[in-house]
Amino acid sequence: GESVGLHLPTLSVQEGDNSIINCAYSNSASDYFIWYKQESGKGPQFIIDIRSNMDKRQGQRVTVLLNKTVKHLSLQIAATQPGDSAVYFCAENEETSYDKVIFGPGTSLSVIP
Amino acid sequence: DAGVTQSPTHLIKTRGQHVTLRCSPISGHKSVSWYQQVLGQGPQFIFQYYEKEERGRGNFPDRFSARQFPNYSSELNVNALLLGDSALYLCASSLSLGGWYGYTFGSGTRLTVV
């Protein structure tokens, strides 16, 4: 079945450096992709999304890149801060009659002060 | 404004027991979805309810059921609990169907089955 997965389970970066978190998806029919941040003891928090008709979208300190040719999604965080330490999930929305969101396994980002 | 609220925050149950988890969506949100998150994994879709009707169901056994009330709050029920049901149960609300981009998650209910 379709699934969304991440390449690396953990990532450590120095404070101030840029972070890149990668994701591979298998459902070429997916229309929407979302990045979520989950801190310990909390639910996933929306970071940024991108539609399949786009290849790049920027937010505040974050950029999402979508490569439909190789079914790859990435999240770039500029000037990573200690508050960015969390688990990051990429997710896709299926084109069905309901809003099922399929999450990948997650990447744990640790920021080294 | 209050976000998505879930109760209880933590719960310990014995195998074979029944559990009811509750969710209050953001005011004005009519769609509620439930997810199960096993430790170390991403959330897995269980149900979506909209206007009190089930609109989607994930790959979970019939021991899992849910309902939505006229005030749009929701309950998730799990019967005959198994050890493998131990997880964080997340509720998410959105304004309407197709409003996934407005999905807001609660902090979840941590269920431990012993």
Side-chain angles (χ1 to χ4, degrees), chain A residues 32-34 36 38 41-44 46 49-51 89 93 97-101 103-106, chain B residues 35 37 40-43 45 48 55-57 88 90 94 96-101 103 105-107:
Chain A
Y32 302 97
F33 302 89
I34 317 125
Y36 287 96
Q38 187 173 26
K42 296 183 179 180
F46 173 91
D49 62 352
I50 189 167
R51 295 174 182 257
F89 295 97
N93 180 237
S97 61
Y98 52 92
D99 300 329
K100 177 179 179 179
V101 176
F103 286 79
Chain B
Y35 287 77
Q37 186 175 23
Q41 297 182 17
F45 174 82
Q48 183 189 28
R55 298 303 296 263
R57 173 185 284 257
L88 179 68
L90 295 161
S94 60
S96 63
L97 288 177
W100 63 268
Y101 53 88
Y103 248 23
F105 282 88
S107 293

Side-chain angles (χ1 to χ4, degrees), chain A residues 17-31:
Chain A
D17 287 352
N18 296 334
S19 303
I20 299 177
I21 301 173
N22 294 304
C23 174
Y25 65 94
S26 58
N27 184 4
S28 55
S30 290
D31 248 3

Side-chain angles (χ1 to χ4, degrees), chain B residues 12-100:
Chain B
I12 299 175
K13 288 287 191 177
T14 304
R15 276 179 300 175
Q17 285 189 315
H18 163 90
V19 69
T20 297
L21 311 180
R22 295 177 174 84
C23 172
S24 293
I26 290 174
S27 178
H29 283 196
K30 298 182 178 180
S31 175
V32 170
S33 297
W34 288 94
Y35 287 77
Q36 180 196 64
Q37 186 175 23
V38 173
L39 193 64
Q41 297 182 17
Q44 299 295 311
F45 174 82
I46 310 176
F47 287 111
Q48 183 189 28
Y49 276 77
Y50 176 71
E51 290 285 12
K52 302 182 289 294
E53 291 186 3
E54 181 184 303
R55 298 303 296 263
R57 173 185 284 257
N59 187 25
F60 281 81
D62 292 342
R63 299 184 296 108
F64 289 76
S65 64
R67 56 179 176 169
Q68 187 177 32
F69 298 99
N71 66 352
Y72 304 110
S73 67
S74 178
E75 284 183 352
L76 175 69
N77 297 283
V78 187
N79 293 323
L81 285 167
L82 304 174
L83 295 180
D85 295 330
S86 295
L88 179 68
Y89 288 85
L90 295 161
C91 172
S93 76
S94 60
L95 277 169
S96 63
L97 288 177
W100 63 268

Side-chain angles (χ1 to χ4, degrees), chain A residues 72-90:
Chain A
H72 183 267
L73 195 67
S74 69
L75 176 71
Q76 300 178 1
I77 305 173
T80 311
Q81 303 169 359
D84 295 327
S85 293
V87 177
Y88 289 80
F89 295 97
C90 68

